[in-house]
Each structure stands twice: as structure tokens, then as C-alpha cells.
Amino acid sequence: MTTTGEEHTAARTGPWWWVGWRGAVLDAGLALVSAVECGGEGVRFAHDAGLPAPVGVAFGAMAGSVLLVRRKWPIAVVLVSIAITPAQMGYLMGLVGLYTLAASELPRRITAALAGMSFAGMLIVTFVRAHQSVVRGDVTMGNWFVPFASITTAIGMTAPPVLLGLYMGARRRLMESLRERADSLERELQLLAERAEERAEWARNEERTRIAREMHDVVAHRVSLMVVHAAALQAVARKDPEKAVRNAALVGDMGRQALTELREMLGVLRSGDGLAARVPSVPLAAVGVAAAAAASRAADDSGAGEGPSLAEIDELIGQSAAAGMVVALSVEGDTRGYAREIEQTAYRVVQEALTNVHKHAAGAKTYVRLAHRVSEIAMQVENECPPEVGVGSSVRLPSGGNGLLGMKERVAALGGVFVSGPTDAGGFRVSAVIPA
């Protein structure tokens, strides 16, 4: 990340108020040059003022060395340069001081006031010195030379450093603003990437849940019917060979159907794994696209196959009836086509409810009701109290406890209502209403 603001302040490596050693060395060099300049000019100042030369040199060196603190106290540097202007020394200090003042974060009114004072001081001193030169005869260019020289010198010593300082200060502030904006955008991208990663993880979890639910529905129903038919086959193998052959054929059909559906789902899983293996690693900022792609693949995979529909309800009930269940189907309203998700969910609800009857109420009479309404489809599977003793009692089908939960999740995902529970007569009822 870029380093600005507090991080930039914390990154200081120079002594005292300097950010780095390079700035400290530069200021020390400028202060040394300014001290030498002012010390040399102090000789003439001492001669004009009637002071010993060493005093003038010492005064000039002390005044010139003030440039060392130009970054810390730029106002003080400019004031000192203005103060020693009548002594005709400190030209370098005046230029650098005005530049530093204009480039600093101080209010512009302070910069304007000090620049005006420096301009006025330089104008007056130059005017007086030029006039004295004309009077002494050192300059023979006429009276026009005095105002021209004074104004030109004052502007040349004031305007360029101030304008350059304003430009550099604005440029530095712009760069800092751009760095801060880049940091802010980078933080926002980081947050977006984290949220996108969370969405991608949510999409993966949803896909795993959907696949687990599909596999549970397929395996639970098909295998439950296979176990029931196998138990019946064992019971009638010697007494009724023809019925045993029919039951064996049914077990084979159930097994093949279960294998076919499982193979389709496993094929979807394999294709997803292959796709993940082919996709190279991407930056974190691109996880949002990956999340959208994962959600899209989840939606596409869920519709990869046609899936069961309400048209197969008769076949489903026929399979349960062939397994020995007494089941009655009643349909209300005009049969019509629905969206694939609605028909698949309605089919799975009936399928899982019949599977639960095979598991927990073998031999009980079961009623399956479908109602096609204007804006919804309702289904209900209700079984009577199972008999005390039956063939199914010895089957002992295992239960994972996920059937009702899976049905509720399916119906709730489509905005429907799912209710299940025991009846007063000792049976069990499963009801669902799905908006159409």
C-alpha cells in the first residue's frame, strides 16, 4: 500500500523535525552557504557601520545560519532576511525563505503579508543604493535607472520564489490527496474483496447443501423402496416364485434409477472440480467476479437436468403401491404447468413424505392430495396409524433425520409454507404450499 498520513509521519527517519536525512543535509548545506555569503557581506556592512570586520562577519554568519530552521520556522527565516536587507546581505536566505514559506501549509494571508514586506524592503534598499550610486557618479544612465533597477530587483527577488513555492506546495498537496484517495480506494477494494469472498463461500455452501439434499432425496427414496421390496422378496421367495421374480425386477429397476440419478449428480460435481482446477488463482480484488460466477454455476447446475416433475407423481405412487403401501391420490383444480423449480420441489416433498411412511409407518394407509389453486399449489401427504404388526416392521430402515428439514428448506427457498406433525388419529401429516 502507499504510505500517507499517519503512516507517512511515522515513517520519519531524519533527526529532529526533518522527515529524512536527505532533507537535513540539504538544509545544512544551504545554511552553510548562506552563512558564508552573509559573513562575506558582513565585511562591507561593518565598514559602512564603522564596526570591526570580525563583528560584521560574525553577525552575518549568525544571521545566515538561520536558514537551517527554514522547514520548522519559515516565518522566522523570512523575518530575519527582511531585517538584514538594509545591510545588503542574506539574498540566498530571502529567496529560500520565501520559497519555503509559500510551499508550506501556512495561511496564504501570512505569505502575502511577508512577501509584501520583503518586496517593500528590497525596493526601498535598492532605490536608496541606486540613488547613491547615481549621485556619486558611479552610474551614468540617467534618473530612469533608479526606479527601474529598484522595481526589477524587488520583483526578481520576491515573485519567482513565491510563485515557485506556491506551485510546489500545490503539487505536493495534490500528490498527498491522490495517495490518500488511492489508500481509500485500496481499503474499499479490500472490503469489497472480503465481502465477495464471503458471497463466494456462501454460494459454495448453498451448492453443497443443495447437492446433499438432492442426494438424500434420491438415495432415501430409492433405497427405501429397494429394502422394502427385498424384504417382501425374502418373504415370498418360496411361496410365490412369480411374485418374487416381479419384486426382484422392481429392486433392479429401483437400483438402476438410483444409480442413474447419482451418476448425473456426480457428473456435475466432477465438472465443477475440473473447472476449479483449470481456473488459475486470481487476485483478491477479483473475488467478486468469482462469487458471481459461482452463483451462476450453482444456478446452471441446479438446472442441468430436467429433474422430476408433477407428471411423474402417478409413477411415484405406483412404485410405493408396488412396495405394498396402500396409497390414494386425489387432485383438485385444473392441472397446469409450473416453473421447473416449483414442480421439482412439489415432487420431492411428496417423494420424501412417502419415504418417511415406508420408514416409520410401514403398512399404514396413505393419502396424497394435490390442489392447483389460482396463485399457488398445495400438497399434503397423510398416513393413518400404522398397524401393530406388519411385514415392514422387520425392515428397520435407518433414518438420518434430514428428510423433514430438507423439505422445509426446499419450500422456504421458493417462499412457501411447510408444516408437519402428528395427527390426532396417531398418523402423520406433511403439508406444503408453494406460490405459483
Side-chain angles (χ1 to χ4, degrees), residues 84-398:
I84 64 177
T85 298
Q88 287 188 305
M89 61 175 64
Y91 295 106
L92 176 62
M93 182 169 59
L95 292 172
V96 177
L98 286 175
Y99 166 80
T100 306
L101 179 66
S104 67
E105 301 295 334
L106 292 173
R108 291 290 165 255
R109 63 178 182 274
I110 297 178
T111 302
L114 292 177
M117 292 172 60
S118 178
F119 176 84
M122 185 62 63
L123 178 67
I124 295 172
V125 171
T126 305
F127 183 89
V128 172
R129 294 295 181 181
H131 181 71
Q132 291 176 352
S133 298
V134 171
V135 171
R136 288 195 303 265
D138 297 336
V139 179
T140 59
M141 299 182 66
N143 293 330
W144 63 269
F145 175 74
V146 176
F148 175 77
S150 58
I151 293 175
T152 303
T153 304
I155 293 176
M157 294 295 295
T158 306
V162 171
L163 293 177
L164 182 60
L166 291 174
Y167 168 74
M168 296 303 295
R171 182 176 180 273
R172 185 181 65 248
R173 286 188 291 272
L174 176 62
M175 295 302 296
E176 291 177 355
S177 174
L178 291 176
R179 286 196 197 97
E180 292 176 358
R181 185 175 300 178
D183 287 344
S184 177
L185 290 175
E186 190 169 356
R187 287 191 293 269
E188 291 180 5
L189 286 176
Q190 187 75 13
L191 292 175
L192 289 175
E194 292 175 358
R195 294 177 182 175
E197 190 173 5
E198 293 177 358
R199 290 196 297 269
E201 182 63 26
W202 174 83
R204 288 192 292 267
N205 291 334
E206 285 294 314
E207 182 65 5
R208 283 194 291 266
T209 302
R210 186 191 67 82
I211 293 174
R213 188 164 54 236
E214 288 289 337
M215 294 185 70
H216 171 269
D217 291 344
V218 172
V219 173
H221 180 73
R222 303 295 185 191
V223 175
S224 297
L225 291 179
M226 290 171 63
V227 172
V228 172
H229 282 296
L233 176 62
Q234 183 180 6
V236 302
R238 295 182 179 178
K239 299 179 182 179
D240 192 348
E242 293 183 0
K243 188 175 182 180
V245 171
R246 289 195 300 272
N247 287 340
L250 288 174
V251 171
D253 292 338
M254 295 294 175
R256 281 187 291 272
Q257 293 175 6
L259 287 175
T260 300
E261 296 186 13
L262 287 175
R263 189 180 298 111
E264 292 176 356
M265 283 184 286
L266 291 176
V268 171
L269 290 177
R270 290 195 191 96
S271 62
D273 293 341
L275 180 62
R278 291 192 300 270
V279 175
S281 59
V282 296
L284 191 58
V287 177
V289 180
S296 177
R297 287 198 304 271
D300 294 340
D301 292 345
S302 64
E306 293 296 331
S309 63
L310 291 176
E312 303 176 25
I313 289 291
D314 291 334
E315 181 182 356
L316 177 66
I317 293 177
Q319 293 173 354
S320 296
M325 177 187 295
V326 180
V327 55
L329 171 65
S330 62
V331 180
E332 300 177 4
D334 297 332
T335 303
R336 64 181 188 274
Y338 299 94
R340 181 189 54 78
E341 294 84 358
I342 296 177
E343 294 212 5
Q344 184 176 356
T345 299
Y347 179 92
R348 293 300 189 193
V349 168
V350 176
Q351 181 189 54
E352 183 59 29
L354 293 177
T355 300
N356 287 339
V357 175
H358 283 293
K359 289 182 179 180
H360 308 292
K365 187 174 182 180
T366 306
Y367 303 92
V368 178
R369 302 180 181 93
L370 291 178
H372 299 276
R373 299 167 185 168
V374 176
S375 59
E376 62 186 15
I377 177 174
M379 64 222 67
Q380 185 182 87
V381 179
E382 179 181 353
N383 62 273
E384 298 178 350
C385 180
E388 294 295 333
V389 180
V391 177
S393 62
S394 61
V395 173
R396 293 183 293 182
L397 293 171

